[in-house]
Amino acid sequence: MELTTIWFFIVGVLLIGYFVLDGFDFGVGMSLPFLGRDNTDRRVIINTIGPVWDLNETWLIVAGASLFAAFPEWYATMFSGFYLALLVILVALILRGVSFEYRHLGKGQRWTRWFDQFIFWGSVVPPLLWGVAFANLAQGVPIVPMDNGGWIYEGTLLTLLNPYGLLGGLTMLLLTFTHGLVFISLKTAGDIRDRARAMAKGVGLVTIVAGAGFLIWTVLQHLDSPTLWVIVLCAIVAAVSLIGAWVANAVGREGWAFTGNATAIVFALLAIFMSMFPYLMHSSVDPAYSMSIEGAASSPRTLELMTWVAVFTLPLVLAYQAWTYWIFRKRLTRESIPVDAH
Amino acid sequence: MDEFLDPLSLARWQFGLTTLYHFIFVPLTIGMALIVAILQTVWVRTGKEKYLRLTRLFGKIFLINFAMGVVTGIVQEFQFGMNWSNYSRFVGDIFGAPLAMEGLIAFFFEATFIGLWIFGWDKLPKKIHLLTIWFVWLGSVASAYFILAANAFMQNPVGFEINEERGRAELLDIGAVLTNPVAVTQFPHTIFAATMFAGTVMVAVAAWHLQRGQFVDEMRTTLRLGAWTNIIAFMGVGFTGHSLGMVMTETQPMKMAAAEALYDTASGADASFSVFSLGTPDGAHEIFSIRIPYLLSFLSNGTFDGSVEGIRDLQAEYTELYCGGADSLLTCPTDGQFAPIIWVTYWAFRWMIGLGALAALVSAVGLWITRKNTELPRWVWKVAIWTAPIPMLASLVGWVFTEMGRQPWIVFGVMTTENGVSPGVPGWAVLISLIVFTIVYGGLAVVEFKLITKAAKEGPPEIPRASGDDTTGEPDQQQLGTVY
């Protein structure tokens, strides 16, 4: 396989890793106002992701840097093109990130309420807008080549907010919401666990409907794609695992439900990446203007170097991050939260 | 109106603002991680509770700060693509590599172990838990190295070639990029400066409590540890700063000339260092100055009789070199000016050195007057409290000097800054993001400052004992566990 193709998949793996891992952090944040009846509840919910949200978010930073290194043209065109959407995502991530650490440090209810709001909106906005962005990448965006090399995005923020893009955003939002609810039921015991499971049942149904709609639409848009059969396959696996996850949740097998949800996110994103392949950005202006993987990639020397770095570090990263999850495997209850503090 | 909506100046302001803001938190993170690791090590080795309480206190300050460093760092990574897309596509092949390595090697590591450190108190064996904070420090230092290597490429591009066909710079030798002399000297300089900041924060916290006669035992230890840290780190800063100055003279002579506002090439006694001077910014008239002969020559060359090139000669040299050739599209600034804004570089350079020296001086005096346990007048503590931000300010003006002194280049000798900006992003979009970041950052700065002072004023926390077994005096591991 070409190095460029390998890097297309490595960047894909990093992005998928980000959405699977930070995905449940987003869902946990979203559920805060719905599941958290009092402050102790809310603290239990936040502490389910306490030790891991930071390393989960790191996947985005690493994915972004790898994208920069492996496909500078893609990084440059997409990030300058989706300017305002990214700005909103950044602000959301900033506010969410500091809130986990800061909400319990201040005094008074007003303080806590502010940071709860930041956690909620900081968890709703990124998956929604990322979903919109990736759906648009699958569909094609108005990019044209520039005279002196490179591509330029000629649309606006509104160009991205088309029906398919919005459905993509909604699907991602719902997927991460369900994912987070299942994660909470996996990580807690007692009342919160039951409520999270019950809510996952309801939200899960909506997710299945939206997800099915999105995947079918994706397939229909790519009927003449050379990778059609892979897209279809990924869509089917995503749909089946999502339904499987719902069933597992309904019968109280939380581990399986979480695995099913994670698999659904992996394959839904794979379907998107496969509809982009062998391009990074389809041009909606003229197919001939599309940005190919080759055309956007770094030199073979850089890719080769980066491959070695990835080969040596990624297994290590997976090992110590898995160890972290193992260390914090115990379920949390209201009793895990010290009463006196704060 | 167009003036306000010029994407280039707005993007530069945004980069300056977001980067300086990021650099308030990064040095404290790097320095504090070391301090916390040392305190916790002393606790594990001696078993003295005092050190555990100090570990918890400075650990808390460290974490409040760490959160800000992480979230502002994401903006740093994204804005290269958002505001500087032409730069990104031109040098991504080289510049992206150290960034990606930072992520894969250092940042994953740091972020994972910080989670283990915060929440692992009651879940990991004592020594393994101690290791996690050392790993956090190691990760933050490694992270700094890769970022500085990326920055050094902008100051002194090495290990690359221009691919005419693709119209971009391509990586030739990653070894050269990672051992860039600018990175190699900038790295210890930055780490020592970061450690100084942690030292003065300790001094300030200690002074606040000692003034009130609280936690006297813990705080005397803190005061002296902080002051020693600050002084030792300052020696490192000075030593490495000197090597950095020499590397800078060799790689970016214009920056050194601009640091000194040296218009005409000088050598020996004439290559003097002006401690202070008043005059017109274009160097035509000097009204007053205090000068130390030979010092500039020593700072630049390491010898007392070497010569230092002046701005006028360099301007002529660069015009010939960069504005005549076939590739001058990227290398010749539209106004033909190769000198940065002189008054900014001149004063930033002096403030950097002056503030750094001031912080060390205060610590040295502080160590002397606190060597015996005697009553001290209130103003002594006031002064000590206000030293806290001095090394931070020195770092910030240092970065202003480094980055402004690089102008008009985004990559020295390869691409001018005006060529690096995003072509498709309208000025109003950059203005919106500049305003949004200013508001969000401003608000968070207030919150962060409040939280850190609150944590500092609360002082070292009580350590709960293991229940039902008071005789052992062992801290209760269950109660040590942190939760949000």
Side-chain angles (χ1 to χ4, degrees), chain B residues 31-51:
Chain B
M32 236 354 138
L34 177 65
I35 297 291
V36 174
I38 290 173
L39 287 169
Q40 193 173 339
T41 307
V42 177
W43 171 60
V44 169
R45 290 195 66 110
T46 64
K48 283 189 191 158
E49 195 184 287
K50 174 167 89 173
Y51 293 102

Side-chain angles (χ1 to χ4, degrees), chain A residues 150-208:
Chain A
W151 284 261
I152 196 161
Y153 174 81
E154 292 204 319
T156 63
L157 179 62
L158 293 178
T159 321
L160 299 176
L161 302 179
N162 53 67
Y164 177 75
L166 288 171
L167 181 60
L170 183 70
T171 305
M172 181 63 97
L173 183 76
L174 287 165
L175 266 177
T176 51
F177 193 10
T178 316
H179 200 38
L181 288 169
V182 172
F183 183 76
I184 293 173
S185 63
L186 182 65
K187 287 293 296 177
T188 55
D191 192 33
I192 299 179
R193 177 185 179 183
D194 298 335
R195 277 186 282 137
R197 261 186 58 203
M199 191 175 271
K201 258 201 239 174
V203 179
L205 273 184
V206 190
T207 310
I208 290 172

Side-chain angles (χ1 to χ4, degrees), chain A residues 187-272:
Chain A
K187 287 293 296 177
T188 55
D191 192 33
I192 299 179
R193 177 185 179 183
D194 298 335
R195 277 186 282 137
R197 261 186 58 203
M199 191 175 271
K201 258 201 239 174
V203 179
L205 273 184
V206 190
T207 310
I208 290 172
V209 174
F214 178 73
L215 290 170
I216 291 169
W217 198 341
T218 307
V219 170
L220 290 179
Q221 271 190 344
H222 293 88
L223 284 178
D224 47 3
S225 158
T227 52
L228 177 67
W229 66 273
V230 193
I231 302 173
V232 173
L233 196 69
C234 291
I236 291 174
V237 177
V240 169
S241 24
L242 194 59
I243 294 167
W246 189 85
V247 175
N249 177 68
V251 298
R253 301 295 299 267
E254 287 138 0
W256 284 109
F258 184 74
T259 315
N261 266 317
T263 315
I265 294 177
V266 170
F267 280 89
L269 282 165
L270 272 181
I272 289 182

Side-chain angles (χ1 to χ4, degrees), chain B residues 63-64 87 100 111 121 136 138 242 262 282 313 322 335 342 356-357:
Chain B
L63 289 178
I64 294 169
Y87 165 77
W121 284 92
V136 170
L138 215 62
H242 177 52
L262 180 74
D282 64 0
D313 288 339
Y322 295 119
D335 63 359
I342 302 299

Side-chain angles (χ1 to χ4, degrees), chain B residues 343-407:
Chain B
W343 67 267
V344 173
T345 49
Y346 178 87
W347 285 112
F349 193 61
R350 265 144 203 79
W351 278 105
M352 171 182 76
I353 296 174
L355 289 167
L358 178 67
L361 185 71
V362 173
S363 281
V365 173
L367 272 181
W368 177 254
I369 58 178
T370 56
R371 71 194 186 286
K372 283 189 203 123
N373 205 349
T374 46
E375 278 284 305
L376 289 170
R378 282 180 71 87
W379 65 265
V380 171
W381 303 124
K382 285 247 150 50
V383 169
I385 291 169
W386 284 103
T387 51
I390 295 178
M392 174 195 85
L393 294 173
S395 289
L396 292 187
V397 285
W399 278 108
V400 167
F401 170 70
T402 306
E403 300 296 274
M404 291 288 282
R406 172 169 47 80
Q407 302 304 328

Side-chain angles (χ1 to χ4, degrees), chain B residues 254-273:
Chain B
M254 182 63 102
K255 197 192 268 185
M256 192 44 143
E260 190 48 35
L262 180 74
Y263 283 86
D264 298 305
T265 303
S267 61
D270 288 336
S272 57
F273 180 86

